Structure formats: C-alpha cells, structure tokens
Amino acid sequence: MTRTEGFPGERQMSSSAGYASAVLEVADAAEANELFQRKGWTDGLPVVAPTEDAVARFLDAAGLAPGDIIGVEPVRRRSISAEKLAIAAVMAGCLPEYFPVSVAIIKAMCRPEYALHGSTASTGGSAPFIVVNGPVRLEIGMNATHNALGNAARANATIGRSVRLVLLNVLGGFPGQLDRSTLGHPGKFTFCVAEDEEDSGWLPLSVERGIPAGTSAITVMQVQSPHQIMNEWTHDPREILDTYASAIRNNMLTYSIWEGNYAFVIPKQHREIFAAAGWSKQNIREYVYEVARVKRGDWRAVGKAAVAGRKDEEKVYCALRSPDDLLVVAAGGPAGGFGAIVPPWYGKKSLAVTVAIDV
Amino acid sequence: MTLRVLDPRQAPQGDAMRMALALPSLDGAIVGMIDNAKIGTERLFDFVEEILRKEHGVREFIRRRKPDASRPVPPGMLAQMSGADAVLSAIGD
C-alpha cells in the first residue's frame, strides 16, 4: 500500500519487516532529517534517520521484539512499544548498546508514582532528570566528571534525548498541545548524568535505593532546572550543606513550598570535605532534612504576602518528607566547589523511581 | 537508491471519541461540576453556579473536588457524576 504525502519525493507505505510503523521513502539521511523537521517530529535538533535496519539493531541489543510494550502511560493509557522507543533512540543519535538504558528509563517513568502525564502537561515546565549507576556507565562511555550536567558525552546526551523524543512523538507532548509548559527549561532537551562511583567512597544512588551492588540501574525524577551553588571557603560539612539548603529554601519560597524529592549533585571538592569528616550520604540527608525548612510567613519577603496570610504564618514547611527524599549524587569535575540542587517539578506529585537495567 | 525510514509517531489507540450531543435546554437540568483542586476553582464555580441557576434554570448541581489536580478523577467520583445531564470540568489556577 502506497500513498503520497504532502512533501516532494516522499512516499509512505507499510513496513515489510514486521514493524507497525508506516515507512517513508526518502532520498538520503539529509532528506530524512528535513522531512522529520517539517513534520514537527523532532525537538528542533537534527535527527538520525530511523531506518528499518537501524531500529532492528537497537531491538536486538535489548533482546526485544518490535511489539513488546515497554510501558503504558497510566492516564491516557498510551502504550509505548519497543519499536517506537527504538525509533526515538536512533533519531536521538544513540548507539544500540545504549538502548537497554532508555528502556529502563521509560519503564520507570510509566510507574503511577511518576505522574508522567501530569508532569508532561503541567504549566510548571519540568524535565526527567536521569541518573545512571553501575557497570553500564563505563561500558557505554558515560561522563560523570567535568561538565557533568552539560552533556559532553554522546551516551549522556543521546539517552536523555531519546526520552524526550518519546514524550513528543509517542505521548504527543508537543509544546502547546499536551505540553502546556509556560517556560520549560533546557534540561528538556536532555538531562542525563552518570554517578562518579569510582572516585567516591559513598554508596551509589541505586544501591541506596534498593538495587544490588554491581547491577546497572537508572533513577529518574521529574525536575525543575538545576541551580548551582558555590562554597569554597570552608572545610566544615555543615557549612557546605548550609549553602545547598539555602538554595532549597530559596526554591521553596520563590517556586514551590511543597515537600518532595530533591537531588544534590556533589562534586569532588565537596565530597573530599565530607569524606574527611566521615560523612556518608545518610549523614547529609539527615542534616538537610533538619535545616531545609521555611516558615509560611517567609513568603512575605519574596513578594507573596497575598498568600502568606491565608494560614498560620508560623507554620514550618520542610523540603523533604523524610531524609530519604533527598537524592545525593556524586558527579562533577575534580576542581571547584560548585554543586547543584535539583528541585522537584511540584512537591511530591511526582516521585523519583529507580529500576534495574535489563542487560 | 532510497532510504526507508519509520514513522516515529504513535498511531491513535482505542475507540474513536465523539462529542456528546448538546442539551436542548439547561432548564431543570442537573449539572455536575468537577473542581480540579486548583486554588481558584471553588470561587470560579460559585460564580458559574449562580449564573447557571439564575439565568439558565439549572435545577441541581453535583459538585466534587478532585483530590489531586495532576491526576485523573477517581472512578468513584466519576460514577457520582453519572446522574448529571452535563458536567463541567475546570481549572481555576
């Protein structure tokens, strides 16, 4: 079956290779990119042509059939097939060996507690923040050191982007359609880090969240843009954390006061201070749980007097429901006292999810 | 020589939806109102209810507030709306 689409030289037909997706014939990869751009099937960046052969290589790398369902978005009940995810991963520029990581991320994001639909549709534009742990990081060459949040490595950049392309093309999360973000943030393009397990004495994030040591895993959390902090003027772990906690309090007052997951990205220079003081990630979480609090009346200082007085202004709000809500990630270059807080999309409406990567 | 590429979009799933027929009149009708739990919805619905009652003769209202603006209406709450002739769902952000 062949039918003509509205673009010169384009023909669309059924696949003879067992795919559910329609096939489009184009002259070459450059024309494929231009076609996808015109169709609005991208995030605006150039895409790699998802040929039948390329998609097959990705499915083989994860041992999946095209029709296997990776997850179902719980609200609109949209199924995300292995085929559509593989197409997105090819388009994003992934290599086949990255594909099991993308699969794990989509599985996690389809858990009800992740609130994929609500967070995708919200005016409070947010993005999935992905942390990768375990041997797969080294096997596929992920970066966990210099410019950790800046996506210099292919695996970091393209894995995060593969998720974005699924949100667009499979779930319909196009800006102005399902995605009603007022601003969004640059992390929507891709926001995927690896934890620097080799240069940290801490337990990896995935192990703290119940995955056996030595097993590759991802953690994904729906977040606002990261906020960098800097403190190079103390060796007291409490003072270092006071700087991070201040950024949290600022977020609580200027963005959302509600409790939920926060993440810290802690660079080596700060980790050395915690190591010298014998502080584990758990020590960090417990300290932050106590100090990352604001009073309702503090809203008055940031222009929110109109809402501050609606309830008891002495009421104290904590950023975390418990210390466990704080995700502590070791990543960043070897020099510089620059860390980051990564705030949640909107309190506890979406919760971080950790799943093992099936490799 | 051509390149065969796959369409990345998800085809529509499930049965096609269609618009419900418009009520011929609101006079004597029962109207359901689903409050999406945003901060201003209750106030907005108070205004709407007054207009519908006084100017359009709506007889009865079934008003419910969702427990969470970011999640679907719970099935039990949706069932309570089945007795309404028309339902409003709104956000007052």
Side-chain angles (χ1 to χ4, degrees):
Chain A
M1 185 182 76
T2 300
R3 63 189 174 87
T4 303
E5 294 280 307
F7 299 101
E10 176 196 343
R11 293 189 303 138
Q12 186 165 332
M13 63 199 74
S14 299
S15 166
S16 57
Y19 295 116
S21 304
V23 174
L24 302 103
E25 284 194 348
V26 291
D28 54 28
E31 187 180 307
N33 175 57
E34 291 305 322
L35 171 66
F36 279 42
Q37 298 289 343
R38 284 198 306 270
K39 293 275 196 184
W41 295 344
T42 81
D43 52 2
L45 296 171
V47 294
V48 175
T51 62
E52 291 170 299
D53 289 347
V55 170
R57 286 193 293 275
F58 278 60
L59 293 169
D60 286 347
L64 293 167
D68 288 344
I69 300 302
I70 306 303
V72 179
E73 188 283 299
V75 174
R76 298 172 76 214
R77 308 295 304 164
R78 283 219 170 186
S79 298
I80 302 170
S81 67
E83 175 181 329
K84 292 298 182 186
L85 178 53
I87 292 170
V90 173
M91 289 169 62
C94 292
L95 292 174
E97 54 265 38
Y98 306 170
F99 193 48
V101 184
S102 296
V103 169
I105 296 163
I106 293 298
K107 283 182 181 174
M109 292 175 69
C110 286
R111 295 263 190 91
E113 64 267 33
Y114 193 82
L116 177 54
H117 174 75
S119 59
T120 300
S122 174
T123 45
S126 57
F129 172 53
I130 301 150
V131 182
V132 183
N133 283 110
V136 73
R137 297 165 304 119
L138 304 179
E139 292 161 8
I140 64 175
M142 296 192 78
N143 174 44
T145 59
H146 293 97
N147 201 42
L149 304 185
N151 303 304
R154 180 176 182 176
N156 299 59
T158 61
I159 289 170
R161 189 185 183 208
S162 71
V163 175
R164 173 68 174 154
L165 292 175
V166 167
L167 298 186
L168 291 170
N169 288 322
V170 181
L171 300 187
F174 292 100
Q177 297 178 30
L178 179 64
D179 181 343
R180 313 299 290 188
S181 299
T182 307
L183 295 179
H185 66 79
K188 280 194 161 193
F189 280 104
T190 177
F191 195 8
C192 180
V193 306
E195 184 158 23
D196 188 359
E197 298 178 24
E198 287 66 35
D199 203 8
S200 163
W202 286 335
L203 286 176
L205 176 68
S206 58
V207 175
E208 288 196 305
R209 293 175 60 83
I211 304 294
T215 298
S216 295
I218 63 90
T219 299
V220 61
M221 171 182 158
Q222 194 71 14
V223 301
Q224 291 300 326
S225 50
H227 178 95
Q228 287 198 50
I229 60 91
M230 189 275 282
N231 188 345
E232 299 181 330
W233 300 301
T234 179
H235 289 89
D236 182 339
R238 292 172 185 81
E239 288 192 336
I240 294 289
L241 290 177
D242 287 342
T243 307
Y244 285 81
S246 176
I248 289 183
R249 287 194 296 272
N250 182 62
N251 182 72
M252 293 172 76
L253 295 175
T254 59
Y255 181 67
S256 166
I257 203 166
W258 302 113
E259 62 191 4
N261 288 124
Y262 277 79
F264 282 179
V265 180
I266 302 187
K268 183 174 176 62
Q269 192 163 313
H270 285 171
R271 295 201 300 272
E272 287 176 340
I273 293 170
F274 293 116
W279 279 48
S280 66
K281 287 184 176 179
Q282 182 63 19
N283 295 134
I284 290 172
R285 282 194 291 268
E286 288 171 0
Y287 184 83
V288 172
Y289 175 68
E290 294 300 328
V291 301
R293 298 171 184 228
V294 298
K295 284 185 180 176
R296 187 179 184 91
D298 295 339
W299 262 338
R300 290 190 176 275
V302 297
K304 298 187 180 180
V307 72
R310 290 187 183 181
K311 293 181 181 173
D312 177 11
E313 295 196 32
E314 291 302 308
K315 178 179 168 59
V316 173
Y317 293 75
C318 183
L320 310 169
R321 294 172 302 168
S322 76
D324 288 345
D325 266 349
L326 181 63
L327 280 55
V328 181
V329 181
F338 301 89
I341 71 150
V342 190
W345 155 54
Y346 193 46
K348 62 187 178 190
K349 284 181 180 290
S350 172
L351 297 176
V353 178
T354 301
V355 303
I357 298 168
D358 190 8
V359 287
Chain B
M1 185 68 183
T2 56
L3 206 59
R4 292 167 57 86
V5 295
L6 295 169
D7 189 327
R9 295 170 299 173
Q10 176 68 59
Q13 298 172 320
D15 297 332
M17 307 279 283
R18 62 174 178 79
M19 296 287 284
L21 294 174
L23 296 179
S25 168
L26 286 171
D27 193 25
I30 302 173
V31 171
M33 302 175 91
I34 299 175
D35 178 334
N36 273 23
K38 291 282 188 171
I39 195 167
T41 312
E42 187 175 9
R43 191 161 169 239
L44 171 68
F45 273 2
D46 286 345
F47 285 122
V48 173
E49 180 177 328
E50 188 178 350
I51 292 168
L52 291 176
R53 191 188 301 278
K54 288 183 177 173
E55 300 180 19
H56 298 278
V58 171
R59 174 168 58 92
E60 186 181 334
F61 294 88
I62 305 171
R63 285 180 62 167
R64 297 290 183 273
R65 185 176 175 85
K66 279 172 59 175
D68 186 332
S70 303
R71 294 181 188 277
V73 182
M77 190 178 288
L78 208 52
Q80 291 170 347
M81 289 291 158
S82 63
D85 298 306
V87 177
L88 296 174
S89 179
I91 288 178
D93 218 347

